[in-house]
Structure formats: C-alpha cells, structure tokens
Amino acid sequence: MKSVILGKKELPIPLIQGGMGIGVSRCRLAGAVAKEGGMGVISTAQIGYDEPEFYKHPEACNLKVLPDQIRKAKEISEGKGMVGVNIMVATKDYGAYVKTACEAGVDAIISGAGLPTELPLYAEGYETALAPIVSSRKSAEVILKYWDRKYHRTADFLVIEGPKAGGHLGFSREDLAKYNDLDYDAEICSILEVKKNYEEKYGAAIPVFVAGGIFTAEDVQHVLKLGADGVQAASRFVATEECDASDAYKQAYVDAKEEDVVIIDSPVGMPGRAIRNTFIRSIEGKNEKITHCFQCLKACNPAKAHYCITKALINAVEGNLNEGLIFCGSRIGEIREISTVAQVIKELFHE
C-alpha cells in the first residue's frame, strides 16, 4: 500500500472518505478517518443545520460552523492523514464556502455537482489541494483544459465518481442503465489517459481516486490495477460508531436490502440513489408543499420543486426516517452491522 502526495501533503493511506450531507460526514467521522491515515471529508452542504438560527439564516450558520468543524476534525486526527471538504458547485454562494474552508486551513477541497470552473480562483493564494469530481472522459477534458487555459495550473488530484455512487449522480438515467462494470472500467482508463497530458505539461503527478461501489479489498485492488492511485468510499463509513448521523440513520443502512435501493429525482433535476422508504413512497407522483426555502442549491425553485431536499435530509440525519431522504450507495445491502472506521479501513486495505 503506497502513500500518495496530494498538493504539498502526503496521504499515508490512498483512501478518501466521501463527503456526505446533510450532517452525515462532519468532524467526528472526518477526524476519525484522518487519524487512521486516510482523508476524512466534511460535507459543507447545510453544515450548520443544527444551529439555533439556521431556519432564519442558513448560509450565515453554515459559514460560521465550517471553520470550527475543520478545526475539530484536525484535533481528532492528531495530525495524521488529511482533512478535506466536499463543496458542491451547485451551492449558492459557492465562492464563500471555498474561501472560508481555505482560510480555516483545510488540506483539500473536492468539488462536484457541476464543473468547478472557478474553484482555483476562489482558492488562490492558499496551499489547499484542489480536486474536481469527474464522471466521464469528456468532463475530465473540459475541466482540465479550462484550468490550464484560465489559471495556468492543473488539478492536484482527481476523483472519478462512477455510476454506483450514492447521493446525487453525474449521470442521466439512461447512462445509469447503460453502464456495467466492464463499460465503466473503460471510462476510467480513458480518464487516466486524459490526465497524462497535463502531468507532462506541469511536471507533476495527478493522482486519481475512483469512487462508486467501492466496498471490499477486491474492489480496491481492481481499480488500482486499472491504474488508479486510490479509492473514495462513502457508504461503508455511514454504519460506523464515529459517523455523525443518528443511530437510527445508521441502522437504516444495516437494515436495507439490495432491492430497497432506488434512483430518485432530486428537486434540481439530477438523479440520485437512495433507500426507498416511507418518505420516498409519499412523494411518488405528487408534490410536497414547500413553505420555507433554505437557499441551498442554485438551481432549485421552491415553486416547482416536488419536495424540499434540505428538510428531507435533515429529517433523516436526525433520525426522523419516515419523513427523511436517505441517500446511499448501490451496495448498502451488503452492510450487516455497525462497525468502526478502523475496521472498515482494515477490511478495505488488508494485505
């Protein structure tokens, strides 16, 4: 198992814990993963959801809490591994989140849910490692070419998020139905070819982490043999003692079967993978009346959205599962018990 250099820091274990919002991956989970030598990732999506003033001033609460969460994660990590944040491009006032995270000394920013064309602009002057999330050769070509021309730099690392990932997905429903393991292996290899041009130009390696359906040591070895440098895993870390979600949320992962996993439509038009529960059944074919907007995503129009994603995700993370949206990866049916971060990493990287 080789360490990986990301920007100016070394990641001892080539593992990124995927960012999960709202509130599923905050300082406790991210700090615990970093303490074991991986990169723990805090999701900035409505990170201040449990602040007293969140209902009235969500963005102010989010930006207030973010530096504190980064600091606490670093304290938990005891200086080991790396602490990163996941910031969705679709977030309103995206730039403020990037700058706040950089000022707080975060080690890395991973950004998707759109192409992070302005990420280097907002992070300029800081040593934070920057990584776009890509799902296809085309998206990798577009963002690497743009950063090269606009900012005269390249990515510090890449995260390739495949069709088996959880939460919002960078694929159409048609693409999700089309891909099988062999098809996506070819896409991964194609993206690896794209980044070589920029490695040569800038005289620096661009490590690649593959995400989506990473569940066993065999999965890890498979993508490493394709040429990747590491993996990103998320769902496996939900059912751990250190995860920031409620016990009820974690137990939902343990109880879920393969047939409970469905593709849903997000209020912003993106497909997403979630557990089909009472909430999902309640919104099928009808719209939920939205009485308050939390100003979370740029493209969301409360007048047209069929449910409030912030409200649904907060309900879930707090344990109100019947009224909550539980995002998940494609393989949660294989989770059988509540484990620990150390045990999950041991299982993924056993010799």
Side-chain angles (χ1 to χ4, degrees), residues 125-141:
Y126 297 94
E127 294 187 351
T128 307
L130 306 180
I133 297 174
V134 297
S135 295
S136 66
R137 179 188 178 101
K138 181 179 180 181
S139 59
E141 287 176 331

Side-chain angles (χ1 to χ4, degrees), residues 133-137 139-140 159-162 170-171 179 184 187 191:
I133 297 174
V134 297
S135 295
S136 66
R137 179 188 178 101
S139 59
V159 175
I160 301 176
E161 192 169 279
F171 299 88
Y179 278 118
Y184 203 69
E187 196 71 31
I191 294 170

Side-chain angles (χ1 to χ4, degrees), residues 123-188:
E124 187 175 2
Y126 297 94
E127 294 187 351
T128 307
L130 306 180
I133 297 174
V134 297
S135 295
S136 66
R137 179 188 178 101
K138 181 179 180 181
S139 59
E141 287 176 331
V142 169
I143 195 65
L144 292 177
K145 184 176 182 179
Y146 189 89
W147 282 18
D148 175 37
R149 289 187 173 181
K150 180 80 172 179
Y151 307 108
H152 309 293
R153 63 159 294 164
T154 192
D156 293 298
F157 62 105
L158 292 175
V159 175
I160 301 176
E161 192 169 279
K164 292 184 177 180
H168 283 121
L169 302 167
F171 299 88
S172 66
R173 283 180 173 267
E174 292 73 23
D175 285 338
L176 290 173
K178 177 188 73 174
Y179 278 118
N180 57 39
D181 292 339
L182 185 60
D183 288 330
Y184 203 69
D185 281 359
E187 196 71 31
I188 291 170

